[in-house]
Amino acid sequence: MEKDLLTQIGQMTPHFSKGQRLIARYIMEHFDKAAFMTASKLGMTVGVSESTVVRFASEVGFEGYPELQRALQELIRNKLTTVQRMDATSAQLVDSNVLDKVLGKEIEHIRRTMEESDRTAFAAAVDSICYARTIYIIGIRSSMALATFLSFYFNHIFPSVRLINTTSRAEMFEQIMRINSEDVFIGISFPRYSKRTVQASQYARTNGARVIAITDSNKSPLAQAADHLLLARGDMVSFVDSLVAPLALINALIVAVGMKKRDEVAHTYERLERIWDEYEVYEKREDGQS
């Protein structure tokens, strides 16, 4: 929805029924808690029926209550501090099997990522990567793990891959100052979004590079500078960023690029296997099997 959800609810409140006003007031004051309540639980909390909650979701422009709930969870990712997000999401794990709950959420993230992925944007991103002179990759804070993983494999495939790895804004721009229209820039960021990643993406776009954004939403600040937008669903489980779906998307990107450059990749790994054997990079079993 184009407007901030809480602003929209506030503007619509005078036109709501008495029961809907109770729901609206609770959501505006406690959206971090409402985001993880079922329609039944929210109704019980404010003193209205479950059907009133469902009608309220429809009244504010959603097809059903689950869509409203996801919109509230989106607010949590973008508006709350890490401590507030921890308090909001940890309530879901109380008196439950943490392993089952966390793995179940990750399965849901991957399922939604697969359903919502833009295949055309993905294919275009693969083409841009394959024909680039230099590939620049940046991911800050927890997204650094994703950027490092991507650059590790791309370094096996391409002759010129640069992982932007610095805590200094000045050094970041120094590392990408020669980027131009022959290059590709891959920016990776999830809530809470990194300002440096956004700034670097905008700089790359201004200098003519093809920009690929790997993020969670078309409302992400990275989307504005992106030529190719690759979306993966993520969330925060307690204080931990969920990166399973983004990593799965990056895996698919690496595989797709590898398939497109199959002969070159096969030749590269033949050379690497000889190097690994010569310098005993990997442990081998006594029977000669690796």
Side-chain angles (χ1 to χ4, degrees):
M1 304 180 74
E2 293 183 3
K3 290 183 180 178
D4 179 279
L5 178 58
L6 299 183
T7 300
Q8 178 167 339
I9 291 174
Q11 291 173 347
M12 296 178 68
T13 295
H15 306 288
F16 289 151
S17 66
K18 180 180 178 180
Q20 289 174 337
R21 284 198 296 272
L22 292 173
I23 298 169
R25 186 179 304 115
Y26 185 84
I27 287 177
M28 287 190 292
E29 294 176 356
H30 307 287
F31 70 90
D32 55 327
K33 296 181 177 66
F36 300 102
M37 290 181 175
T38 63
S40 175
K41 176 67 174 177
L42 179 55
M44 189 181 305
T45 301
V46 302
V48 301
S49 67
E50 181 178 351
S51 61
T52 301
V53 176
V54 173
R55 285 195 298 273
F56 174 84
S58 177
E59 188 73 19
V60 294
F62 295 93
E63 292 185 4
Y65 181 74
E67 287 77 13
L68 171 59
Q69 191 177 43
R70 283 196 288 268
L72 291 172
Q73 291 171 4
E74 187 84 10
L75 283 175
I76 287 177
R77 287 199 294 273
N78 295 335
K79 287 182 176 289
L80 300 188
T81 67
T82 299
V83 173
Q84 289 171 321
R85 290 164 74 191
M86 179 178 177
D87 290 341
T89 57
S90 292
Q92 305 170 81
L93 304 177
V94 175
D95 299 326
S96 67
N97 185 315
V98 173
L99 177 62
D100 290 350
K101 189 78 172 183
V102 171
L103 292 183
K105 285 177 68 68
E106 299 295 12
I107 290 169
E108 173 68 10
H109 294 153
I110 291 177
R111 183 189 65 78
R112 291 187 63 196
T113 297
M114 184 168 62
E115 290 177 353
E116 299 169 6
S117 289
D118 184 337
R119 271 64 176 175
T120 301
F122 182 85
V126 170
D127 285 341
S128 292
I129 290 167
C130 287
Y131 296 115
R133 179 194 61 174
T134 301
I135 301 165
Y136 294 83
I137 303 171
I138 188 170
I140 305 297
R141 302 183 69 80
S142 61
S143 291
M144 172 57 76
L146 298 171
T148 302
F149 182 84
L150 180 60
S151 68
F152 174 81
Y153 282 100
F154 273 6
N155 268 303
H156 289 170
I157 301 173
F158 299 101
S160 183
V161 178
R162 297 185 183 179
L163 176 64
I164 311 306
N165 185 8
T166 177
T167 57
S168 164
R169 183 175 302 174
E171 288 181 5
M172 177 188 74
F173 284 110
E174 289 169 4
Q175 292 181 34
I176 62 175
M177 68 177 181
R178 291 186 175 87
I179 195 168
N180 62 36
S181 59
E182 297 182 88
D183 304 323
V184 159
F185 181 92
I186 304 175
I188 307 171
S189 190
F190 291 82
R192 300 155 71 191
Y193 305 109
S194 163
K195 183 174 290 188
R196 275 187 290 142
T197 301
V198 174
Q199 292 172 334
S201 299
Q202 293 169 339
Y203 178 85
R205 179 66 179 271
T206 300
N207 283 270
R210 303 293 287 178
V211 176
I212 299 170
I214 300 178
T215 187
D216 69 319
S217 168
N218 56 14
K219 295 180 181 178
S220 164
L222 259 67
Q224 299 172 11
D227 296 291
H228 312 304
L229 184 60
L230 306 183
L231 301 181
R233 287 290 174 174
D235 204 343
M236 174 174 269
V237 181
S238 188
F239 59 92
V240 180
D241 289 322
S242 170
L243 300 177
V244 173
L247 182 58
L249 174 64
I250 287 172
N251 264 335
L253 189 63
I254 295 168
V255 171
V257 167
M259 294 298 291
K260 198 170 184 69
K261 300 178 70 68
R262 185 169 181 172
D263 291 341
E264 297 167 61
V265 172
H267 179 67
T268 297
Y269 276 104
E270 286 175 1
R271 292 185 60 192
L272 283 171
E273 286 292 348
R274 291 195 293 270
I275 292 170
W276 293 336
D277 283 345
E278 182 178 352
Y279 293 98
E280 300 180 340
V281 172
Y282 293 111
E283 189 69 37
K284 288 197 171 185
R285 288 163 51 179
E286 292 183 2
D287 60 7
Q289 297 179 353
S290 58

